[in-house]
């Protein structure tokens, strides 16, 4: 009897979350945009009309300038006569790889460090949280530029550096959440019936952090893609010849007045991705926590 | 009050001490050899060894850190590898333009963000609200370097309203300051809207209306002053985002400030300059947070020094 009464309770609340998400048009738009970009990145070999690295002899005008959009090259060609659309589709791979890997690692680190900081009373917890204070004294972008420049930039270095910087705000959010969870009765009860610290963490604390992790997991991809694009634009991100959105803009900056599509199109791709993941993240937050939280 | 001042000051000093330790450790762990970088790739092993000894690089870690900290306290940030000039001299010559840029950005943030936020709050749920909040969202998602290039293309090249770049008067300042501040303007609009909506629902506002005060009078005389209270804190936080943003903005517009200094330094991997600006930023950020904490209770008597 108790079993049948209790069993539907969980799916019901999950359904409510799902309903709230479905009824939020902005969230659905975000989800669709994200899915399309991920699909484009995965299907790059089939979707891209040309080889992204091939320098077409007819891809440049007789004066040696890039070809404008239209005809054989839907978005035009870049300064080396390569097809821009193909480079953008392949570039989605670099951006999303960094976006998912770096942000995934940052969320994982942030949740673990934040939870550890809140659960270990005494100097370990204090030291962890004071360390995050210090990290917040550095400007994110400047620190990322300094680290990638000094460590010799590449796609994986960029991902590593972003992960090592972005876990900090996540850890602080998780810390305050766990610090309040720690005082709640169900945690105390679990402790009273003999559950150890490890069991309390995995069975009673971590499940409560899933919404936070999901929201950051999505919002963070947007900010990470922006950061990666900025680093690549400054020349300390993904290195050529690997196509990346920020890199394409970096290469073609000097063609701004004669070939503006070389700046506009990759910029639109970055904006769309960052917008998509932001919308999805905010939609998730609203659906998981109807009180708002901002 | 004095106790609060003292403890916040001490806390800030400790943060800076730790920040210097972290940056020093990072540079220490680097695979790059500073002595080789100073000597140049063609120097002999003996020269490199003697330079390493001169720079104190053959001493143990903590000894090196102690010496570094000692110089740091005196404002000595080391010497540029490539230009052989003290980093502090280079920094000092670049602070002015960056400060201009930041002040311009803050002014534009307030001029754009606050009125839009008020408009959104007063037309809550109707189209101006939706449009303003949509723009704020867009401003936060747009890459800064792309905004910079788009503004240059549209306003400077196409319509010829502003110079394409370079350092100069207000007309040179406008586009870079706008790029730097446009994301923050959206942030201020959001803050203003939510603050104003909250203030307008308070009892004293209803009382003011009940006593015959007009809607405009309530807004100007009672609501706005209280709604703008978090601004000091927000400007303090802005400085942190700006310290990174100036690298992008100054590199696009050729603005001769700190950001441009970093941008030039990463091209030749001039580590003392890069690290010097990072440390300087940490100092500026800690200082501006500290100032915001002190100023806030002066503006808002409900906030006490704790």
């Amino acid at each position: 009897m108790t079993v049948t009464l209790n069993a539907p309770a969980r799916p019901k609340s999950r359904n409510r979350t799902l309903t709230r998400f479905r009824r939020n048009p902005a969230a659905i738009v975000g989800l669709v945009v994200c899915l399309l970009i991920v699909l484009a990145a995965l299907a790059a070999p089939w979707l891209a009309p040309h080889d992204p690295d091939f320098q077409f002899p007819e891809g440049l005008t007789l004066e040696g300038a890039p070809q404008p959009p239209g005809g054989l090259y839907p978005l035009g060609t870049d300064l080396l006569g390569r097809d821009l659309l193909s480079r953008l589709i392949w570039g989605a791979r670099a951006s999303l790889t960094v976006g998912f890997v770096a942000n995934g690692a940052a969320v994982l680190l942030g949740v673990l460090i934040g939870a550890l900081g809140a659960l270990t009373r005494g100097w370990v917890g204090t030291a962890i949280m004071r360390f995050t204070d210090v990290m917040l004294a550095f400007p994110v972008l400047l620190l990322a530029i300094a680290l990638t420049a000094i460590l010799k930039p590449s796609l994986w270095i960029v991902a590593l550096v972003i992960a090592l910087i972005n876990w900090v705000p996540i850890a602080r959010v998780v810390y305050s959440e766990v610090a309040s969870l720690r005082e709640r009765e169900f945690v105390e009860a679990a402790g009273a019936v003999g559950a150890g610290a490890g069991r309390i963490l995995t069975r009673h604390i971590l499940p409560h952090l899933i919404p936070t992790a999901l929201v950051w997991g999505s919002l963070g991809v947007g900010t990470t893609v922006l950061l990666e694009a900025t680093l690549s634009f400054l020349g300390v991100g993904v290195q050529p010849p690997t196509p990346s959105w920020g890199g394409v803009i970096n290469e073609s900056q000097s063609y701004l007045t004669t070939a503006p599509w070389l700046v506009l199109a990759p910029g639109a791709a970055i904006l769309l991705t960052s917008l998509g993941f932001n919308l999805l993240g905010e939609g998730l937050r609203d659906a998981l926590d109807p009180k708002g939280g901002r | 009050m004095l106790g609060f001042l003292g403890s916040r000051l001490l806390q800030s000093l400790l943060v800076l001490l730790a920040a210097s330790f972290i940056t020093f450790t990072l540079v220490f762990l680097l695979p790059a050899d500073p002595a080789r970088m100073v000597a140049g790739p063609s120097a002999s092993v003996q020269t490199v060894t003697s330079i390493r000894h001169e720079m104190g690089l053959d001493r143990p870690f903590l000894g090196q850190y102690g010496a570094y900290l000692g110089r740091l306290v005196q404002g000595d940030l080391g010497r540029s590898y490539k230009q052989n000039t003290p980093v502090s001299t280079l920094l000092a010559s670049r602070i002015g333009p960056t400060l201009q840029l930041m002040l311009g950005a803050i002014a534009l943030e307030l001029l754009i963000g606050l009125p839009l936020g008020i408009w959104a709050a007063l037309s809550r749920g109707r189209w101006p609200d939706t449009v303003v909040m949509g723009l704020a969202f867009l401003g936060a998602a747009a890459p800064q370097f792309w905004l910079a290039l788009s503004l240059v293309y549209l306003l400077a090249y196409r319509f010829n309203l502003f110079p394409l770049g370079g350092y100069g008067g207000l007309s040179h300042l406008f586009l870079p300051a706008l790029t730097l501040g446009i994301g923050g303007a959206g942030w201020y609009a959001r803050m203003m809207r939510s603050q104003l909506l909250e203030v307008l629902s308070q009892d004293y506002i209803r009382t003011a209306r009940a006593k015959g005060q007009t809607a405009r009078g309530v807004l100007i005389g009672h609501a706005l002053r209280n709604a703008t209270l978090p601004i000091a804190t927000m400007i303090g936080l802005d400085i942190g985002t700006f310290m990174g943003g100036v690298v992008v903005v100054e590199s696009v517009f050729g603005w001769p400030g700190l950001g441009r200094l970093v941008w030039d330094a990463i091209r030749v991997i001039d580590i003392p300059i890069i690290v010097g600006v990072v440390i300087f930023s940490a100092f500026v950020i800690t200082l501006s947070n500290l100032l915001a904490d002190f100023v806030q209770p002066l503006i808002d008597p409900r906030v006490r020094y704790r």
Side-chain angles (χ1 to χ4, degrees), chain A residues 137 141-142 150 234 257 263 267 274, chain B residues 30 141 146 157 244 263 267 281-282:
Chain A
L141 179 57
L142 192 59
I150 295 173
L234 290 171
T257 50
V263 171
S274 128
Chain B
L30 278 184
W146 182 68
Y157 175 70
W263 195 74
R267 237 119 283 269
S281 305

Side-chain angles (χ1 to χ4, degrees), chain B residues 85-142:
Chain B
T85 318
V87 172
S88 48
T89 314
L90 291 170
L91 278 183
S93 68
R94 303 299 189 105
I95 290 174
T98 294
L99 198 64
Q100 282 175 9
L101 192 55
M102 287 186 176
L103 289 177
I106 291 174
L108 286 173
E109 276 182 337
L110 297 174
L111 283 174
I112 298 170
L114 298 187
L116 284 180
I118 296 171
W119 192 31
L122 295 182
S123 53
R124 187 187 191 178
R126 286 181 287 123
W127 69 266
D129 188 17
T130 320
V131 169
V132 169
M133 287 302 103
L135 283 177
F137 199 75
L138 213 60

